[in-house]
Amino acid sequence: MRILFVASECFPLIKTGGLADVVGALPLALAQLDCDVRVLVPAYPGLLGKLHGFSEVAHYGELFGGPARLISGDTADGLHVLALDAPHLYDRPGNPYLGPDGRDWPDNIRRFAALSAIGASIGRFSVGGWKPDIVHCHDWQTGLVPAYLMAGEADGRPKTVFTIHNIAFQGNCGRTDFDTFGLPSSFYTPAGLEFYGQCSFLKSGLVFSDRLTTVSPTYARELRTPEYGMGLEGVLNDRSRFLSGIINGIDTTQWDPASDPHIAASFSAKKPLGKARCKLDLQEKMGLATDPDALVITVISRLTGQKGLDLLIAHIPDIIRRGGQIAVLGSGEPGLERAFNEAAAAHPGSVAVKIGYDEALSHVLQAGADAILVPSRFEPCGLTQLYALRYGTLPVVARTGGLADTVIDANDASIRSGTATGLQFAPVTVSGLGFAIERLFELFADKKNWKKIQARAMTHPVGWEDSAADYVALYTDLLV
Ligand code: ADP
Ligand code: GLC
């Protein structure tokens, strides 16, 4: 089975969040199940340099305002990549979506319409003799792929799967932009990609794809409600027969405390001792007081409203009073960055904040912390709690989306039956989080149960095996 992934991010080539991790890891898991997967991504600066054995497989004289070519090559991990090299669209340093002023590039719509057009073209006409049976699109940046495919003849059209990683980002633009896409004007209707007087890339993906998935079963249900559907719940209810939730996994080779090159000492569920050394390393690297007994809570996150981290600010003094420490790695909204920086300045040695993006440090924090906090208001899947489970760092999570599906709350029953892996809380409010923090400190004081839960967390299956098999079943079903 040949599958083309189309996405705007792919680890280790370019990453701003979990989408990249999924697009980088799932194809490798699918390859184990005899799928032939290639990943189409834009060739952002430096990306081609990370590919081995690359060759030009297609050339386009004019693609949305300039020439472009398609480069085929492999990552060190053996991921097959098709990089769309279009300097007028993608040769811009830094974050793939944001300009130097921190705002979206004004032509993002055009940049990702181009990616979609090429995704569809490979799907329909093949590239270098390779033609996919299925085009699997990820998030709004690829939402026009199914529209482009639908605009052509049914004969020779590959099947399409569209995965919603986050419905909050919809890629909406005006009619005048739509008119530049070369799609039939009959698509610009409420039954098509028109969305409250605009053209929505995401809605296009939802209405024109053969199958829809999202990244957890709970989010698949939540998406169909006004509270979570962000205006698209009606469309998703109409298409609910074609929508399913498949939980994300993680790359358990990249994220393995027994062999992680970024961490101070290796450890595992059977040999957990190295985690104490990792905790000291975290404290040293972050400038926290080196105290083996402090409860170290970490946060590794985009700092946006979605992630609910504003709720933590009010609890910082209480956490410190209880003898806890906080280590934050993240970036995002200036107001939140400022609030965390101020907390760090007010509580040196107890609160440490690193604003920015640092992949290696995220491993150090996962390995050294006792708990990770993920108080998201909504969370399609969430990956940091999965890394945390594997590193024996107990997740304290909001009961929503994939967080609800991956962490087993340490209540009386689950502690007794030995199934608990972390803490869940609801409602996602300041007081809801306050109760969770209280429970966390109580559990941390109960060393016997804490160790049991930690060991259980570390053996909880977080790899891609089961979910990759679910995708194969979905693809197979589409092709019969
Ligand atoms: P989202 O994709 O919504 O941001 P996920 O939990 O699915 O949330 O994925 C976030 C990914 O980005 C994880 O791999 C996490 O470790 C990583 N990450 C987030 N912020 C940072 C940061 N500041 N530095 C390094 N890695 C980060
Ligand atoms: C999105 C979601 C996150 C999910 C990730 C990968 O960024 O916000 O919950 O884990 O995509 O699917």
Side-chain angles (χ1 to χ4, degrees):
M1 196 165 8
R2 287 177 301 273
I3 301 138
L4 175 69
F5 269 40
V6 189
S8 57
E9 298 186 23
C10 175
F11 183 83
L13 303 172
I14 174 85
K15 167 170 167 179
T16 72
L19 170 66
D21 289 346
V22 172
V23 173
L26 175 55
L28 297 174
L30 290 170
Q32 298 292 314
L33 302 175
D34 290 332
C35 296
D36 174 7
V37 188
R38 315 230 163 146
V39 183
L40 172 67
V41 282
Y44 305 110
L47 189 144
L48 295 180
K50 295 181 190 163
L51 298 179
H52 298 279
F54 71 77
S55 61
E56 184 175 317
V57 288
H59 186 270
Y60 312 93
E62 148 47 51
L63 179 71
F64 286 82
R69 55 186 191 142
L70 205 54
I71 304 294
S72 164
D74 291 350
T75 65
D77 292 336
L79 193 71
H80 303 307
V81 175
L82 293 165
L84 178 58
D85 186 25
H88 63 295
L89 301 173
Y90 309 123
D91 188 12
R92 304 174 196 184
N95 183 297
Y97 315 115
L98 310 177
D101 58 357
R103 295 192 197 186
D104 282 356
W105 290 107
D107 62 345
N108 272 352
I109 287 297
R110 183 175 70 120
R111 299 170 75 216
F112 296 112
L115 179 68
S116 295
I118 297 303
S121 160
I122 298 170
R124 179 165 292 281
F125 302 114
S126 84
V127 70
W130 186 88
K131 184 174 188 303
D133 305 300
I134 294 188
V135 182
H136 188 158
C137 309
H138 298 267
D139 267 357
W140 77 263
Q141 294 87 351
T142 64
L144 294 189
V145 175
Y148 279 117
L149 285 169
M150 208 50 106
E153 282 168 24
D155 205 25
R157 183 194 302 144
K159 299 289 183 190
T160 47
V161 177
F162 186 85
T163 296
I164 307 165
H165 293 264
N166 194 334
I167 207 159
F169 303 104
Q170 304 185 345
N172 296 334
C173 61
R175 172 77 204 218
T176 42
D177 287 313
F178 172 80
D179 287 337
T180 66
F181 298 157
L183 287 166
S185 57
S186 60
F187 282 11
Y188 195 84
T189 64
L193 47 64
E194 191 266 345
F195 185 57
Y196 295 104
Q198 291 201 293
C199 160
S200 163
F201 277 45
L202 190 69
K203 188 176 171 201
S204 166
L206 302 185
V207 296
F208 292 120
S209 299
D210 294 308
R211 289 296 159 87
L212 308 177
T213 72
T214 188
V215 287
S216 68
T218 294
Y219 194 58
R221 286 190 294 275
E222 288 172 342
L223 276 176
R224 294 173 58 191
T225 67
E227 201 186 340
Y228 294 93
M230 307 224 175
L232 287 163
E233 60 276 9
V235 178
L236 287 164
N237 276 310
D238 280 351
R239 299 220 65 210
S240 61
R241 274 194 314 131
F242 304 104
L243 169 68
S244 57
I246 300 178
I247 197 82
N248 284 335
I250 63 170
D251 184 331
T252 48
T253 13
Q254 293 282 343
W255 294 92
D256 181 0
S259 62
D260 189 330
H262 300 295
I263 68 179
S266 57
F267 62 98
S268 64
K270 283 207 182 103
K271 293 187 178 165
L273 291 183
K275 191 164 170 74
R277 174 77 197 88
C278 291
K279 181 164 173 176
L280 291 178
D281 183 53
L282 177 159
Q283 289 170 326
E284 278 163 18
K285 288 210 166 92
M286 292 297 284
L288 292 167
T290 44
D291 176 358
D293 299 322
L295 166 51
V296 176
I297 301 173
T298 192
V299 165
I300 304 161
S301 185
R302 292 185 290 118
L303 302 177
T304 66
Q306 172 189 345
K307 301 295 179 179
L309 289 160
D310 47 303
L311 306 174
L312 172 60
I313 305 290
H315 294 295
I316 291 176
D318 183 51
I319 290 172
I320 295 164
R321 189 183 52 74
R322 291 171 187 270
Q325 296 181 345
I326 303 171
V328 178
L329 168 62
S331 65
E333 288 169 11
L336 267 174
E337 291 186 354
R338 201 177 320 117
F340 279 113
N341 274 332
E342 280 169 12
H347 307 284
S350 296
V351 179
V353 174
K354 169 101 194 274
I355 299 296
Y357 188 90
D358 189 335
E359 190 73 26
L361 186 61
S362 75
H363 286 245
V364 170
L365 296 177
Q366 289 282 12
D370 297 297
I372 189 166
L373 184 62
V374 195
S376 307
R377 293 191 166 87
F378 68 95
E379 195 61 76
C381 179
L383 297 178
T384 58
Q385 83 281 9
L386 299 179
Y387 301 132
L389 287 170
R390 189 145 167 80
Y391 284 68
T393 298
L394 298 197
V396 179
V397 302
R399 187 176 302 130
T400 187
L403 300 173
D405 291 338
T406 53
V407 175
I408 299 171
D409 183 55
N411 59 32
D412 226 46
S414 65
I415 291 178
R416 278 173 204 272
S417 64
T419 51
T421 60
L423 291 176
Q424 289 191 1
F425 70 93
V428 188
T429 56
V430 170
S431 61
L433 176 58
F435 288 123
I437 290 170
E438 208 174 302
R439 287 174 64 207
L440 177 67
F441 275 93
E442 279 167 17
L443 201 61
F444 188 64
D446 178 358
K447 289 291 176 246
K448 197 167 130 244
N449 275 325
W450 181 273
K451 287 212 171 85
K452 254 171 73 181
I453 297 170
Q454 232 181 4
R456 179 71 190 194
M458 293 183 76
T459 51
H460 182 87
V462 287
W464 268 109
E465 294 78 5
D466 290 351
S467 296
D470 288 347
Y471 279 109
V472 171
L474 181 106
Y475 299 149
T476 308
D477 193 44
L478 261 179
L479 294 177
V480 290

